Every structure is written in C-alpha cells, then in structure tokens.
Amino acid sequence: MDKIRDRICWDDHGRYKVKRNYSIDSANSIFVQNAELHTHGFNTPDLGMGPYRNAIILNEILGYPYFDIESDVPFQDFDPPMD
C-alpha cells in the first residue's frame, strides 16, 4: 500500500473516499470491495452483492458496458391495496 498511498483519495477521517463505481483514486484504476461501508451503506459486506459490484468495476475497467447493470429494479410494497 505504501507505493500507491499517494494515488488514493482519502476522506477527512482517513478512510477511502469511495466513488459510486468503487474506485478510490482520481484515475479510476484502484478499486475496493467490502471497504465502503461508510459510503455505500449496510449491504457492503453482503457477499450476494459481489456480482453486482464486480460488474460495475469490470465495466469501468473495460471502458464500456460489457455487463448489463439493471437500473430499474422493482420496489416491493407491503402496504395493503387501497380500494
């Protein structure tokens, strides 16, 4: 880590400054997984999200959308139907 520390973007608390695409540097060439609880929320350690994160990262590395990323995900509503 010492050799790339100066390339990494850090927040005011000394944590990785993780972008939406999981990169932590300005060149979008260093990525993290399971290290973004402070920026991406409680599902960060959920291994079921791994394929999604991998697709985001690989699309970024490739420079084009090789993997389809679903953007219109269904919302589940538990309210009873109103008549």
Side-chain angles (χ1 to χ4, degrees):
M1 288 292 290
D2 290 337
K3 294 183 180 187
I4 62 169
R5 184 172 298 282
D6 61 326
R7 294 176 44 202
I8 297 172
C9 299
W10 305 92
D11 70 9
D12 294 337
H13 300 284
R15 303 172 297 195
Y16 298 129
K17 194 171 186 179
V18 186
K19 292 186 257 178
R20 185 176 180 92
N21 68 356
Y22 302 98
S23 69
I24 57 171
D25 67 322
S26 58
N28 292 326
S29 62
I30 304 171
F31 299 88
V32 294
Q33 283 200 30
N34 300 339
E36 66 281 357
L37 182 63
H38 62 287
T39 57
H40 286 63
F42 70 91
N43 63 352
T44 295
D46 179 359
L47 295 179
M49 293 294 294
Y52 170 79
R53 291 189 294 257
N54 290 339
I56 297 288
I57 292 169
L58 288 171
N59 282 349
E60 187 68 38
I61 290 170
L62 292 170
Y64 62 92
Y66 181 82
F67 295 99
D68 292 331
I69 307 296
E70 192 172 346
S71 61
D72 187 23
V73 294
F75 178 75
Q76 197 166 16
D77 187 358
F78 294 99
D79 289 336
M82 299 177 105
D83 294 330

